[in-house]
Amino acid sequence: MEEYTLKPGQIGDPLNRVDGRLKVTGGARYAAEYNLPGITFGVLTTSTITKGRIRAIDTKAAEKAPGVLAVVTHKNSPKVPGYNAGTDNEGSRVYGQEFRVFYDDRIYYNNQPVALVIADTLERATYAASLVSVTYNEDKHQTNIKTQTEKAIKPERPEDYARGEANAYKKAPVRIEQDYHTPIHVHNPMEPHAATAVWETNDKVIVYNKAQGVKLAQKDIMKSFDLKAENVRIHSPFVGGAFGSSSRIWPQEMAAILGAKHVGRPVKVVLKRDQVFNMVGYRPRSIQKVGLGATADGKLIGVTHEAMGLTSTYEQFTERIVHPTKSLYSSPNLNAVYKLVPLDLSTPCWTRGPGESSGSFALESAMDELAYALNMDPLTLRLKNFADKDPENDKPWSSNFLKTCYEQGAERFGWSKRNPKPRSMRAGDMLVGMGMSAGIYKAERAPASARAKLLADGSLVVQSAAADVGPGTYTIMTQIAADTMGLPVGKVRFELGDSSFPQAPPQYGSHTTASVGSAVHDVCVALKQRLQELAINKQGSALYQASADDLVFADNAIRLKGRSNGVTYTEILKLNNLPELEVTKESKSGPEKETFSTKSFCATFIEVHVHPATGMVQVKRVVSAVDAGKIMNLKTARSQVLGSTIWGIGMALMEEGVIDHRFGRYMNKDLAEYHVPVCADTPDIDVILIDKPDPIVSPTGAKGIGEIGMVGFAAAVANAVYHATGKRIRELPITPDKLV
Amino acid sequence: MINFRYVRPTTRQACVTALVSDPTAQFIAGGTNLIDLMKRGVTAPEKVVDINALTLRSIDKQGSGIRIGALALNSAVADHPMIRQQQPLLTQALNAGASAQIRNMATMGGNMLQRTRCHYFYDTALPCNKREPGSGCGALEGFNRIHAIFGTSDRDPKTACIAVHPSDMCVALVALDATVLVTGPNGERRIPFVDFHRLPGNTPERDTNLERGELILAIDVPDNAFARHTHYLKVRDRNSYAFALVSVAAALDLSNSTIRDARLAMGGVAHKPWRLLDAEKALVGKPATEATFRQAADIAMQGAKAFEHNAFKIRMAPSSIVEALKTAARPA
């Protein structure tokens, strides 16, 4: 890595989180913590069947319970005009009809909300919710994709892709063909989903929720209730983890809004942990077939990837499961097919590396299997099939340091010391395995706006309707603004999570830094421009009639190059009699971006120890080398890769949402039984950030880092387990029972 | 609200009386399991009898053993120098259980009385003969990966139960020949640990042989010669805060390389901590070799019966027994 000399707060500086103190002292308020005057508490009663109709719903006992204000069901719910309008499938992100809360008597999935009990305390509402008595006309349901594969359909928004000849791998001298399975993952952020709704007037609502996109939430609610933008306000300044699960409006928001309308008071709805499993999406189970064919010396000739995912019966959720396959390796022939199996479950939702994480497990496991079939080192095989340009569309890469990731990762890991023979390496009683994988993830940039306000005291407030669900957006936006403006970070406050702020894209798809970061950068450049004009054009200014080319911005001031005389930002405002100076700017990519393929890349190297007697797997070492463009903050960026790694360990070894298909109910719907890694499962993680600016994606050179570390990760673990044991596990997670 | 009365008597007798006087009353100590069960609607006592005012926290040398008060915290017992030196198997088992935070709250008596983690027991929308006698067993033909392979009730659907007892500590205590001292409406009595928990039989709603109103006072762990050769092996889906798929408590008394005496028990395989007396007998007098251990493991597995999702336990349990014995046999 290049040597750095970073000034505090400069872009790249591993600045501590600017909101860290607020978070650890309880000063950061989360969605469930808005105890507004007159607040009431809504608790959902949910279905105990999976499919059918409500025959009768008896709310009398609940209504009579102490403290209860009302029970909202499909029989008395305020109407949602947008529900009747049908889904605008042009504009919606998921094809189909969204789940309609308290709309009719239909049950589409188990644990579906059927009533909202509103009371003066949470305890009273919780109790009364248990008194709502529902009887059903039950229909036969199907929740198991494995038994329903013949019902697979081609989605309305297909992801299928082909180049060259289909199934060309079958004719190759060396080939493999295998099936791979990934389970349901539930996002399970620490903070359960919550919403508090207040109707200020009959047609003006404020919602405090956890949102990855406040503008998106605003738009969804505007559409549902036929309201104007200025009449829907979303507040979501702090989010305790989301991972995709807060990227659309869910039952808790709708129930709170409908409940508040019904009782004429603010209503707060907080999901219980088991409701988080059913109501806010999940990563769908996948069944995938990968066929790879190569020449005897390891050049890919044909790649086939057939993926099947599950969705609900009312929407078609599609994800980018075949995307890594399309672009990661150069193969003249490739065909990818993606089908959906509609089941009696709630609609899945984007989940960290949505599609790429599951798809890359299949692809990168298959590459390892091909390497063994070829008797070739898996890293050599990947280098041999490195794509010089994006094979999906023949566009040049905007930047691609995957080879650097391979090289530096392998070097740091000591890949050359690996004996390729399975079950050949030991440490005491433990079987040692080493595996690797590659990852690719889109590096996008969406239009974004930011408002910069320079205040009389020389401090700067920058606002954008972005989100910070944990990656450190507050911090890096502060850094970008401070660096661009020549201000110390202490003088900059970045604000987000309010739908009244200028437009920003939601925080998913790893594109906040490239999008909002660019807007923050550009608005600060525009503000500097304004300040410069004011400084040059104002009589009495030390820079009056100076030439713009001679000026530099640093240390709260504009100065003449190489000279000490200048004028501070505060003085410029004062001289011009301005209480403050505000600039708003929209920022977006130019047309040249369309001529490039823009992606982030990674290479992951894993060492596992497998206990032969018990089948327990311990990940002992992780080296994750990531090309995510220019790094804005070395600490928060590293933390993103640590998070991906830990989830990657969970995906590889333990995470699985288990449903008893006879009942359609989750078996492990709490954090004791839905296993995610604990500290004892997490080794030292060595993160290599290549840190080279991408000249195309964004003016700061950033690509995106939130998800790339997960892509391919689980395969690297599975490959290491194979190397340790000689046993290839093609169905995640790799729990001890699969290895004894 | 589901209100309940809360009482905190200061004498043993008053605790027992408070419980007996109300058919739904339950004792509470650390509350690490009861509170969860109440929140989930699995249990709804109308009275909760807090026993924390009783002086039952001490850990003392008593005669030829150690007496551990029923209210001693799991973490305090695990870290007690006398336990660590003389009964290391108990320390190992305690530290394998739950999380540090839970061990700091959970008591010895409470640990013994924790309920199963069977998914069907916890979901009031699903059948469970243990929670609701006669409603059926969801696990029998359901998701039974964590369930029992020994001593199950699986013939009559109205009484079937294939749940396992979740404790790690109890696996060590049953291996160590502990005795439970209880008091109750009919006075004090001593229950051998191996008889404290029970198989489901026709009454899976009963986890133990305690009579209504009986209160655990202490656990007596007799002295033994195993301290240098013990091992608690826990196989689980993650390295902490996960219940055992299979666990093994192994203790050996070795003379040169010959096994003078042995104790062996398993967790995660039955409705009670599963003592392996026949396997122990097969170890005594034999050389401490892998072959001996394998033989014992084979004996231990006799009568095992798997269900759809837990067949792996039939492979995992014997290899874990061998592994635990091998580790225990290593020089201390």
Side-chain angles (χ1 to χ4, degrees), chain B residues 88-224:
Chain B
L89 183 65
L90 181 55
T91 292
Q92 291 160 13
L94 278 164
N95 284 338
S99 65
Q101 293 87 341
I102 293 171
R103 295 195 294 270
N104 283 336
M105 283 299 290
T107 64
M108 296 297 282
N111 186 321
M112 290 161 63
L113 295 176
Q114 66 181 301
R115 310 299 308 271
T116 181
R117 307 305 295 198
C118 173
H119 319 292
Y120 300 89
F121 177 70
Y122 270 84
D123 188 340
T124 55
L126 297 179
C128 171
N129 287 325
K130 183 181 279 300
R131 174 172 35 77
E132 197 183 328
S135 63
C137 173
L140 195 58
E141 287 170 1
F143 183 63
N144 44 35
R145 177 174 181 263
I146 63 172
H147 290 75
I149 52 173
F150 291 110
T152 51
S153 286
D154 50 30
R155 293 213 174 81
D156 180 358
K158 294 289 168 199
T159 56
C161 178
I162 61 170
V164 298
H165 187 67
S167 170
D168 292 299
M169 176 192 87
C170 292
V171 183
L173 287 173
V174 79
L176 294 168
D177 290 317
T179 307
V180 187
L181 179 64
V182 306
T183 188
N186 302 316
E188 288 190 10
R189 66 174 179 130
R190 296 172 64 80
I191 308 171
F193 206 93
V194 71
D195 296 327
F196 183 84
H197 297 94
R198 58 188 295 282
L199 292 178
N202 293 324
T203 50
E205 66 275 20
R206 292 189 62 196
D207 294 349
T208 71
N209 288 313
L210 277 182
E211 299 297 333
R212 179 79 197 153
E214 280 190 320
L215 173 69
I216 305 170
L217 298 176
I219 299 105
D220 286 335
V221 189
D223 290 343
N224 60 49

Side-chain angles (χ1 to χ4, degrees), chain A residues 630-646:
Chain A
K630 170 83 180 154
I631 298 303
M632 299 291 103
N633 177 318
L634 289 165
K635 182 182 274 184
T636 57
R638 180 170 176 272
S639 293
Q640 282 297 291
V641 182
L642 298 182
S644 301
T645 294
I646 294 165

Side-chain angles (χ1 to χ4, degrees), chain A residues 604-725:
Chain A
T604 305
F605 296 83
I606 300 283
E607 179 180 325
V608 298
H609 286 188
V610 183
H611 193 212
T614 64
M616 284 180 76
V617 178
Q618 179 89 36
V619 175
K620 295 300 278 190
R621 283 198 298 141
V622 175
V623 175
S624 178
V626 177
D627 163 23
K630 170 83 180 154
I631 298 303
M632 299 291 103
N633 177 318
L634 289 165
K635 182 182 274 184
T636 57
R638 180 170 176 272
S639 293
Q640 282 297 291
V641 182
L642 298 182
S644 301
T645 294
I646 294 165
W647 199 344
I649 292 172
M651 176 173 179
L653 299 182
M654 57 194 83
E655 273 198 65
E656 178 176 18
V658 180
I659 292 169
D660 182 331
H661 298 298
R662 297 171 304 163
F663 301 106
R665 283 177 82 79
Y666 277 99
M667 291 287 95
N668 54 344
K669 52 197 166 203
D670 58 46
L671 294 180
E673 300 296 329
Y674 183 93
H675 295 142
V676 300
V678 296
C679 292
D681 300 302
T682 309
D684 276 344
I685 300 164
D686 195 344
V687 178
I688 300 171
L689 300 168
I690 303 301
D691 199 8
K692 297 265 195 236
D694 183 293
I696 303 299
V697 175
S698 64
T700 56
K703 295 200 271 192
I705 200 163
E707 294 162 274
I708 178 63
M710 250 192 104
V711 184
F713 192 97
V717 177
N719 296 343
V721 167
Y722 173 74
H723 180 233
T725 64

